[in-house]
Structure formats: structure tokens, C-alpha cells
């Protein structure tokens, strides 16, 4: 069974640009969540989608958005990039939502903003 | 979310057992205790989770104190591949919420 796939693996952008990251969950998983990891702040929750609906959102500005498609694949978008958006963006999937669910993470997209 | 406290780092020898502690004195009755680990240059990996009873799986064991205010992740025979950052996380029980609140975790070093 294939794991969580994130594309691209690496990305370099300049300030002011926008970026779209993609996540394909494990087959059969309906919940997808996104996390940002930086050396200073560690791992921080961005948002969670289940059945194409955003179920939960972290404390990030509106420049960060996402969506989920009917096949459970998800994208996140960051507009008007800032230097501080340089980070590893991780996607995780689970069968459903809830505190008893295991999350399976992808290897992430490393975004560098110059 | 209820908070967890872990030591910053721990060292162990290869092929010896490792006990990684976690304190969660403000845990609520419906919080699940989850452990994830992150190897260098990889995304976090699920290790184990439990609610009240001790749990075992092929990777590790989770020992939960009777009052649930602390727990211990046990790696029975550490290998070099177990060197990672281990995160102890509490997740709310009721409601549909897959959010994980990561702390700084404990960095485990394994000596050959």
C-alpha cells in the first residue's frame, strides 16, 4: 500500500509569489491535515480536511489556505510569500477524524523563500 | 489542549531497553496519549497510542500510570535506527478532531 505522497519535494520561490503544494493520502483515507515545521517553532498544525470540508484550522494568517477534492487528495496554497514561510510542510492522512486515529505523514515539501 | 512535559534528551546503548518518560498532569478523562517519532529528514511516524490500559505493538510498549498523569514509552531493544525525536501528545477524545499539538519532544541518541 502506497504511503502519503507529497509533491514537489523541494521548492524555491521568491517573496510575493504564491505556491501550491499537493498531498495524496493513503488509499481509503478520508482525512488530511497539514503541518508546518520550522527550527524555531517546531511542528505547528495548519488545517484539517475531511470529506472536502475544513474541520479545524490552526493559528495561521489567511494567506494560508487549502482544499480537499472528492478523491481525498488535498492541496494547500500560500499566497504573497514571506521569508518566514520557509519551512518543511508536512501532510498527514488518516482513515477518519478523531482522537483515536493514527496519522500517517508524508516526507514533506521543503519550501525556501528567497 | 492539555500539555505534556518531556526531558530534552536521552542517551541509550544499542540493544538495551529504553524508557522515555512523559508527564501530563492536566490530562482529562477522554484524552488519548499518542507517541510519534521523527527520524532525520523524514516526516513524523506513528509509534503507539492508548487511553487507560498499557499497550503493546511491534514497535514499542506504552505504560500508562494508574492516575494517567504520566506515561512511559518503552523500546525493548534500542537500535541505531531508533535515534530520533520522540513526541508525546495528548489528543482530545470527544468530537472529530485530528489535530496534533507537538511539543519539543525528546531527542533519543543511541550509542553503538
Amino acid at each position: 500500500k502506497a504511503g502519503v505522497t507529497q509533491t514537489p519535494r523541494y521548492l524555491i520561490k521568491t517573496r510575493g509569489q504564491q505556491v501550491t503544494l499537493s498531498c495524496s493520502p493513503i488509499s481509503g483515507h478520508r482525512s488530511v491535515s497539514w503541518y508546518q515545521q520550522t527550527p524555531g517553532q517546531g511542528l505547528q498544525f495548519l488545517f484539517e480536511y475531511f470529506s472536502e470540508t475544513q474541520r479545524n484550522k490552526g493559528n495561521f494568517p489567511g494567506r494560508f489556505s487549502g482544499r480537499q477534492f472528492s478523491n481525498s487528495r488535498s492541496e494547500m496554497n500560500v499566497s504573497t510569500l514571506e521569508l518566514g514561510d520557509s519551512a518543511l510542510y508536512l501532510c498527514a492522512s488518516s482513515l477518519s477524524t478523531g482522537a483515536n486515529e493514527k496519522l500517517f505523514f508524508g516526507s514533506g515539501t521543503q519550501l525556501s523563500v528567497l | 489542549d492539555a500539555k505534556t512535559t518531556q526531558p530534552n534528551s536521552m542517551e541509550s546503548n544499542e540493544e538495551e531497553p529504553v524508557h522515555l518518560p512523559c508527564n501530563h498532569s492536566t490530562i482529562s478523562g477522554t484524552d488519548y496519549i499518542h507517541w510519534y517519532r521523527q527520524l532525520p529528514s523524514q516526516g513524523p511516524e506513528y509509534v503507539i497510542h492508548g487511553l487507560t490500559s498499557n499497550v503493546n505493538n511491534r514497535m514499542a510498549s506504552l505504560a500508562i500510570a494508574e492516575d494517567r498523569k504520566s506515561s512511559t514509552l518503552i523500546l525493548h531493544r534500542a537500535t541505531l535506527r531508533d535515534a530520533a525525536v520522540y513526541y508525546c501528545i495528548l489528543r482530545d477524545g470527544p468530537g472529530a478532531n485530528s489535530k496534533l499539538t507537538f511539543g519539543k519532544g525528546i531527542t533519543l541518541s543511541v550509542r553503538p
Side-chain angles (χ1 to χ4, degrees):
Chain A
K1 202 172 187 182
V4 177
T5 304
Q6 291 189 245
T7 56
R9 186 71 179 92
Y10 300 94
L11 205 48
I12 299 174
K13 292 286 188 179
T14 56
R15 276 182 300 175
Q17 287 187 312
Q18 77 162 15
V19 67
T20 299
L21 312 181
S22 179
C23 172
S24 293
I26 292 172
S27 177
H29 285 195
R30 297 171 62 195
S31 175
V32 173
S33 50
W34 289 86
Y35 292 80
Q36 181 197 65
Q37 185 170 27
T38 60
Q41 298 297 320
L43 277 150
Q44 293 184 285
F45 171 78
L46 280 158
F47 26 67
E48 175 199 356
Y49 289 87
F50 179 75
S51 293
E52 302 178 66
T53 301
Q54 188 179 90
R55 300 297 294 267
N56 204 352
K57 191 176 191 306
N59 189 25
F60 279 82
R63 300 184 297 106
F64 291 80
S65 64
R67 59 178 175 168
Q68 186 181 33
F69 302 96
S70 58
N71 61 359
S72 294
R73 193 177 69 83
S74 177
E75 289 180 347
M76 69 163 280
N77 184 277
V78 187
S79 62
T80 319
L81 283 166
E82 301 177 359
L83 295 179
D85 297 333
S86 295
L88 179 66
Y89 290 87
L90 291 156
C91 166
S93 75
S94 59
L95 279 168
S96 182
T97 61
N100 196 23
E101 291 289 334
K102 309 174 198 178
L103 266 61
F104 295 84
F105 284 81
S107 297
T109 293
Q110 184 67 55
L111 172 65
S112 298
V113 182
L114 306 177
Chain B
D1 295 322
K3 186 178 164 61
T4 63
T5 304
Q6 301 177 256
N8 288 333
S9 62
M10 186 169 283
E11 286 189 341
S12 71
N13 296 317
E14 198 176 10
E15 297 189 5
E16 290 185 356
V18 181
H19 291 230
L20 302 176
C22 182
N23 288 319
H24 28 78
S25 58
T26 59
I27 190 170
S28 74
T30 53
D31 283 343
Y32 283 82
I33 302 161
H34 285 250
W35 284 82
Y36 283 78
R37 72 180 184 181
Q38 188 171 22
L39 280 65
S41 303
Q42 294 187 27
E45 174 187 29
Y46 168 82
V47 178
I48 200 166
H49 77 288
L51 184 61
T52 56
S53 305
N54 294 344
V55 184
N56 299 296
N57 66 22
R58 64 173 182 81
M59 287 181 70
S61 296
L62 176 60
I64 302 173
E66 197 169 328
D67 63 5
R68 300 208 328 126
K69 293 185 186 300
S70 66
S71 61
T72 302
L73 178 69
I74 302 165
L75 307 179
H76 296 286
R77 288 181 74 235
T79 68
L80 296 178
R81 196 194 170 277
D82 292 322
V85 179
Y86 287 77
Y87 298 96
C88 170
I89 300 163
L90 300 183
R91 299 181 68 190
D92 293 337
N97 183 349
S98 289
K99 172 183 173 182
L100 292 177
T101 301
F102 287 86
K104 294 192 184 303
I106 177 171
T107 300
L108 174 66
S109 304
V110 180
R111 290 183 290 252

